[in-house]
Amino acid sequence: DKGGHKHFMAKEIAEQPVAIDRALRAYLGSEDGRQLPEDLDFTTVDRLTMVACGTGYYACLVAKYWFEQIAKMPVEVDVASEFRYREPPVSPNTMGLFVSQSGETADTLAALRYMEGKAAQIVGLVNVQESSIARESDVVLPLHAGPEISVASTKAFTCQLVILLMMALKAAQQRGHPLPDGLPEDLRALPGLIHQCLSLDAQIKDAARDLAKAQDIIFLGRGVLYPLALEGALKLKELSYIHAEGYASGELKHGPIALIDEKVPVVVMAPRDALFEKTVSNMQEVMARGGKVILVTDAEGARVAGDGTHEIITMPQVPDALAPILYAVPAQQIAYYTAIAKGTDVDQPRNLAKSVTVE
Ligand code: M6R
């Protein structure tokens, strides 16, 4: 049942405020006392190894910034298909964290089994509670996203981010580091903020009509928005079959800038955070070479850096740590509406399966 939507993907994008609210209620600690499981313990470990595939991997890359900056914890992130065969040494003080919507991804499960017996604790962050990864983890954190039918992962990704941020806050507390101003209280505003982002789809439809004509599209982001550039590019190629790449905007001049001309649209994800100025100067290098920029930023960002851009998508103003969660929504909608403009099969893109149970 698509609940009145044209596609499961549209339904699942629209469900994000409710799904995130459910994840917050399950773990944030409220009057009814529910919070992250007690056996999720950061006092006995001194490093974190996160392993996943696809969109789950990008959620881990975002979480690396959070765990490093907020909890001052060394973090390694890898794609499961590389990790499992690299024979990485695992110190006994490591927490292994496996992120998977389905809980059945073959490579992620094999990576988990590789760490079993070597790591201090195996933690599974899964949407499907009766899955192999859930069964084989010491501690399981269900995403509470609700069933995700569309091949493209949307609400599972934002729920992964929300829970990973809560985990980073717990790690900070247990390791004796102060929490960033406003957190965790600001998390409670997320469902409402996501709801506001959903109404930006009219602007995104306009941008998507242009994007659908392109052969190559580049996504740029910096800091915690860099993994969002990767996720935006993955979603777009999965759904519209347009070649797309995400880059850390600071890497632009080390190669990718050679691709820029008036035919290559560049989506820049840049909330007005501490790195904004730097991202904007990378964006200006793109515009100076004729690149058409679609800038995703907040009102203040649009005011100071909007000149000369092709299109601006104006997001709500948010605390820095929450930005990647909110910027997931335009990344999803850009892919969705570009696919609609191209007429591809949104829910069941060619060559892809929802759950990849073979390597
Ligand atoms: O079920 P999992 O989270 O383990 O799946 C991992 C990837 O196969 C998955 O995220 C894939 O990249 C999606 N199609 C992304 O939209």
Side-chain angles (χ1 to χ4, degrees):
D1 175 19
K2 296 180 192 142
H5 293 272
K6 233 172 126 193
H7 299 98
F8 282 109
M9 184 180 179
K11 173 176 179 254
E12 290 159 9
I13 289 175
E15 280 171 352
Q16 288 177 113
V18 173
I20 289 174
D21 188 54
R22 235 181 350 246
L24 289 171
R25 281 173 197 279
Y27 298 120
L28 194 51
S30 49
E31 303 83 59
D32 62 8
R34 287 200 285 171
Q35 53 189 9
L36 288 168
E38 238 167 65
D39 46 1
L40 177 76
D41 185 5
F42 294 96
T43 58
T44 54
V45 293
D46 57 18
R47 55 187 310 118
L48 179 61
T49 295
M50 304 176 76
V51 183
C53 299
T55 288
Y57 169 64
Y58 298 141
C60 295
L61 286 183
V62 172
K64 178 178 167 78
Y65 290 83
W66 288 331
F67 275 97
E68 288 178 351
Q69 286 172 0
I70 305 174
K72 316 284 176 223
M73 197 164 173
V75 177
E76 184 203 4
V77 181
D78 210 341
V79 287
S81 56
E82 287 301 315
F83 182 84
R84 63 181 289 194
Y85 291 116
R86 224 180 42 232
E87 297 180 27
V90 178
S91 95
N93 305 330
T94 306
M95 177 185 287
L97 176 53
F98 298 85
V99 177
S100 173
Q101 188 286 130
S102 62
E104 299 296 348
T105 299
D107 284 319
T108 310
L109 184 58
L112 181 155
R113 288 178 178 155
Y114 174 84
M115 275 194 105
E116 251 171 322
K118 301 186 183 82
Q121 197 170 42
I122 304 279
V123 180
L125 187 53
V126 295
N127 200 32
V128 180
Q129 297 190 35
E130 310 74 31
S131 58
S132 306
I133 291 177
R135 265 194 309 278
E136 298 195 25
S137 297
D138 301 322
V139 182
V140 184
L141 287 91
L143 290 177
H144 297 294
E148 195 182 65
I149 310 293
S150 174
V151 164
S153 187
T154 53
K155 60 178 180 168
F157 178 63
T158 43
C159 286
Q160 283 162 356
L161 291 177
V162 168
I163 298 169
L164 287 165
L165 178 53
M166 289 189 273
M167 291 170 73
L169 296 177
K170 175 165 183 177
Q173 274 169 332
Q174 289 191 328
R175 292 163 60 82
H177 298 291
L179 300 187
D181 281 352
L183 285 175
E185 299 74 24
D186 285 349
L187 278 167
R188 296 189 202 277
L190 263 177
L193 288 166
I194 296 266
H195 193 79
Q196 281 182 42
C197 296
L198 292 173
S199 64
L200 300 172
D201 57 348
Q203 287 174 43
I204 293 179
K205 269 184 217 164
D206 282 346
R209 266 190 289 273
D210 273 352
L211 291 175
K213 296 181 203 134
Q215 269 197 337
D216 310 278
I217 299 174
I218 289 176
F219 284 75
L220 297 178
R222 207 171 176 126
V224 83
L225 269 299
Y226 163 45
L228 265 292
L230 298 173
E231 168 64 3
L234 175 68
K235 282 278 101 79
L236 191 84
K237 63 188 132 185
E238 279 190 294
L239 297 179
S240 69
Y241 318 145
I242 296 173
H243 171 236
E245 297 298 335
Y247 291 106
S249 55
E251 270 293 292
L252 197 66
K253 57 168 76 65
H254 300 285
I257 199 163
L259 298 171
I260 303 293
D261 65 17
E262 54 298 327
K263 290 203 227 65
V264 181
V266 180
V267 179
V268 179
M269 307 242 184
R272 193 124 206 265
D273 59 15
L275 295 171
F276 179 74
E277 252 57 341
K278 296 194 185 293
T279 312
V280 165
S281 91
N282 301 135
M283 181 181 92
Q284 280 155 352
E285 288 158 6
V286 167
M287 296 196 297
R289 284 154 187 88
K292 265 194 198 164
V293 168
I294 294 151
L295 175 62
V296 189
T297 186
D298 43 50
E300 186 55 13
R303 191 183 65 75
V304 299
D307 280 357
T309 56
H310 181 65
E311 201 88 56
I312 300 182
I313 295 163
T314 314
M315 299 283 289
Q317 179 89 38
V318 280
D320 289 357
L322 303 190
I325 306 172
L326 288 182
Y327 281 62
V329 177
Q332 296 161 353
Q333 289 182 326
I334 286 171
Y336 179 75
Y337 287 113
T338 306
I340 301 278
K342 292 217 70 174
T344 53
D345 185 344
V346 171
D347 281 335
Q348 195 52 259
R350 67 184 185 199
N351 308 341
L352 296 175
K354 180 65 182 160
S355 178
V356 185
T357 52
V358 290
E359 70 170 297

